[in-house]
Amino acid sequence: MKDILKKIITAIITWEAKMVLKKYRPQVVAVTGNVGKTSTTGALHVALRRAYFVRKSEKSYNSEIGVPLAILGVLSAWTNPLGWARNILEGLRLIFLKNHYPKWLILEVGADRPGDIARVAAWLRPDIVVVTKIGEIPVHVEFFASVDEVVAEKGTLVEALAPEGLLVLDIDSPRAMSLAAKTTARVVTYGFAQEAHFVASHAEIVYDKESGAPEGITFKINHGTRSMPIRIRGTIGQHHAYPVLAAIAVSVSEGTNLVSAAQWIEEEYVPPAGRLRILKGIGESIVLDDTYNASPSAVQAGLAALENVKGKRKIAVLGDMMELGRHSVEEHRKIGETVAEAADIFFAVGPRMKAAGEIARGKRLKTIETFSDSREAGDALRKILKAGDVVLVKGSQSTRMERVVEEIMAEPEKRKELLVRQDEEWQKR
């Protein structure tokens, strides 16, 4: 019965979303890929909203039901029938009454299973498509016959792009670049490769002059003959340059000058919660909160950031990477090898990551602890933290690694503001 009701609600709000798009005809920017979709959506919003009336997907509303919710501008009602009734009424109000509707929509479009993006692409006609990095072993690959099928699923959104549209691609991701062949639209690229239209260079971590704690990152954006420095606060990791590059590529392609676009990003952009955010830890430690989700490439990027940041001890607290299917064993082994190079202490959470711990031990990493769940790991971690420690916390959504951060953050009263999965429905799980 629950599944039937979900299908009915999805059908109703999808129809409403179609009618809303037909009535108001906003410019639609669709963001897909496997790494950094929500960060890119947020950066795009900052880069466009001073020039246009813009709405973006809330949270990670990127599914068959999430995209219509974003178009209607309403939140998921979860299991509340009255909440869904209000959402449906809001959709009808938009259709039949005059409203001040956004001129631009920035929509995140993702896929958990085959057909997810294809069903959205069947009715969504984006004016701009941004494809972020597609890893060699993407998250959710368990439900696809091959990685190539994951790429093909993303490609259905590119195929929906109008010939006069714009396709923006991560040049450093070969699988993302392969999608250029699926359209005759104009293609703009971004990344660290010098051949890109928008190139990042000279990336480095910025530290507070008094405390020595990491504050953010700085890098240069190069476009044609222009070069512009930019600083992003509250996060570390070279991979955080990519969402900013993508946003500036779209903004400049739509007529904004490079200086203005970079200035807007620097003034307003803050990476979403759980995406390698720098938080204060107890006992003057530093927490790198990367708990939103985990794919092999994202975990490797997090470990690279941990290795490069200054700290007395480097501690990696990693939960299982889920939905990898037959790739799971090998990918967790690879993480074990990287952890041994990046960390002084490794807390492995879950049976899959335990295997990574065994590999790390074989690589002569001495301090390795294994835990069955995130709360147990958080409790143990709280007892050993010292001033100057830097802790990376990451894992797939179902491992609930934000609970580790809750145990060690210096400002737990701000958890609803700073951490992922803090709404009531998640707290019940």
Side-chain angles (χ1 to χ4, degrees), residues 298-308 316 318 334-336 338-339 342-343 392:
V299 176
Q300 294 285 3
L303 288 169
L306 179 66
E307 184 175 13
N308 291 328
L318 305 179
K334 290 178 182 177
I335 295 303
T338 306
V339 167
L392 169 69

Side-chain angles (χ1 to χ4, degrees), residues 281-302:
I282 59 174
E284 298 184 5
S285 62
I286 298 294
V287 181
L288 305 180
D289 175 16
D290 207 17
T291 55
Y292 171 68
N293 207 351
S295 66
S297 60
V299 176
Q300 294 285 3

Side-chain angles (χ1 to χ4, degrees), residues 171-172 191-201 222:
I171 199 171
D172 299 326
F192 282 82
Q194 291 300 308
E195 314 88 73
H197 296 99
F198 293 83
V199 182
S201 65
N222 308 291

Side-chain angles (χ1 to χ4, degrees), residues 27 36 46 86 91 118 161 163 169 185 203 226 235 273 281 304 320 329 337-338 348 350 365 387 427:
Q27 288 280 107
V46 171
R86 285 193 293 269
L161 184 62
L169 299 174
R226 304 292 301 276
T235 189
D320 288 346
V329 173
E337 293 175 355
T338 306
L365 180 60
Q427 292 301 304

Side-chain angles (χ1 to χ4, degrees), residues 73-368:
V74 296
L75 300 177
S76 172
W78 294 87
T79 57
N80 184 348
L82 290 177
W84 285 113
R86 285 193 293 269
N87 286 346
I88 291 169
L89 287 173
E90 174 62 18
L92 294 174
R93 189 181 70 83
L94 286 171
I95 295 168
F96 294 110
L97 300 178
K98 187 175 181 180
N99 287 276
H100 184 47
Y101 193 79
K103 299 297 183 183
W104 284 71
L105 291 177
I106 305 168
L107 304 175
E108 185 178 329
V109 185
D112 290 342
R113 288 171 170 78
D116 282 355
I117 293 180
R119 283 189 290 273
V120 173
W123 57 269
L124 185 69
R125 291 290 178 265
D127 301 283
I128 300 172
V129 171
V130 179
V131 183
T132 67
K133 180 177 181 177
I134 302 176
E136 290 302 307
I137 307 296
V139 68
H140 307 309
V141 71
E142 176 183 8
F143 304 109
F144 291 82
S146 66
V147 177
D148 288 338
E149 280 201 5
V150 178
V151 178
E153 185 71 25
K154 309 292 183 184
T156 60
L157 193 63
V158 177
E159 291 168 352
L161 184 62
E164 65 275 14
L166 174 67
L167 177 60
V168 181
L169 299 174
D170 177 351
I171 199 171
D172 299 326
S173 171
R175 293 188 183 279
M177 287 298 294
S178 71
L179 297 179
K182 291 186 174 289
T183 184
T184 57
R186 180 163 61 107
V187 176
V188 169
T189 58
Y190 66 93
F192 282 82
Q194 291 300 308
E195 314 88 73
H197 296 99
F198 293 83
V199 182
S201 65
H202 301 86
E204 58 183 40
I205 299 171
V206 179
Y207 296 88
D208 181 85
K209 292 180 180 179
E210 293 184 5
S211 68
E215 284 189 329
I217 58 171
T218 183
F219 57 95
K220 287 185 178 180
I221 299 173
N222 308 291
H223 174 58
T225 59
R226 304 292 301 276
S227 182
M228 186 74 191
I230 190 168
R231 181 171 176 166
I232 307 300
R233 293 172 176 81
T235 189
I236 64 170
Q238 178 174 291
H239 59 290
H240 274 289
Y242 287 96
V244 171
L245 284 171
I248 289 178
V250 171
S251 185
V252 172
S253 296
E254 291 300 308
T256 304
N257 66 69
L258 179 64
V259 174
S260 294
Q263 180 181 340
W264 297 344
I265 291 282
E266 182 165 321
E267 288 176 352
E268 296 187 37
Y269 174 65
V270 177
R275 277 76 166 188
L276 211 61
R277 289 275 293 273
I278 303 169
L279 303 181
K280 295 178 181 178
I282 59 174
E284 298 184 5
S285 62
I286 298 294
V287 181
L288 305 180
D289 175 16
D290 207 17
T291 55
Y292 171 68
N293 207 351
S295 66
S297 60
V299 176
Q300 294 285 3
L303 288 169
L306 179 66
E307 184 175 13
N308 291 328
V309 72
K310 296 176 184 176
K312 291 184 177 179
R313 294 190 302 178
K314 312 286 185 69
I315 304 173
V317 186
L318 305 179
D320 288 346
M321 300 182 295
M322 310 299 285
E323 300 177 355
L324 298 181
R326 66 182 184 277
H327 304 285
S328 182
V329 173
E330 179 60 24
E331 292 306 313
H332 282 87
R333 288 177 61 88
K334 290 178 182 177
I335 295 303
E337 293 175 355
T338 306
V339 167
E341 299 295 327
D344 304 301
I345 299 172
F346 180 27
F347 278 22
V349 182
R352 297 166 184 81
M353 200 55 73
K354 181 179 179 180
E358 293 169 357
I359 296 299
R361 197 182 305 279
K363 295 288 183 178
R364 299 185 180 179
L365 180 60
K366 294 181 180 179
T367 307
I368 301 170

